[in-house]
Amino acid sequence: MSIVTKTGDKGETSLMYGRRVPKNDPRVEAYGSVDELTAARGLGRAISDNKFVAEQFFAIQHGLL
């Protein structure tokens, strides 16, 4: 499956509302870091056998919203 946006790749990416920024913009790095943290948090919550720990992971998720 191919995903094509037809905007070309000139070292830029699009943010909300169509604003284009360089791919090395700190915001792009921050978005990726938060996304990875969210995935790790979800995994931790899913595999935790401890109810308290799972609840803490859930609270962290809501703090990131």
Side-chain angles (χ1 to χ4, degrees):
M1 176 167 87
S2 175
I3 298 174
V4 180
T5 61
K6 298 185 180 180
T7 58
D9 185 1
K10 297 176 182 159
E12 295 183 337
T13 191
S14 182
L15 300 179
M16 284 183 65
Y17 310 113
R19 184 173 185 181
R20 297 197 62 80
V21 297
K23 288 185 179 180
N24 64 353
D25 188 282
R27 289 173 287 186
V28 176
E29 177 69 27
Y31 297 152
S33 295
V34 171
D35 188 46
E36 288 180 22
L37 174 61
T38 301
R41 188 239 18 111
L43 177 62
R45 182 174 175 216
I47 66 174
S48 176
D49 292 334
N50 184 305
K51 183 177 178 183
F52 175 77
V53 172
E55 289 171 350
Q56 294 304 303
F57 278 123
F58 186 75
I60 291 168
Q61 173 65 26
H62 283 276
L64 293 173
L65 297 177

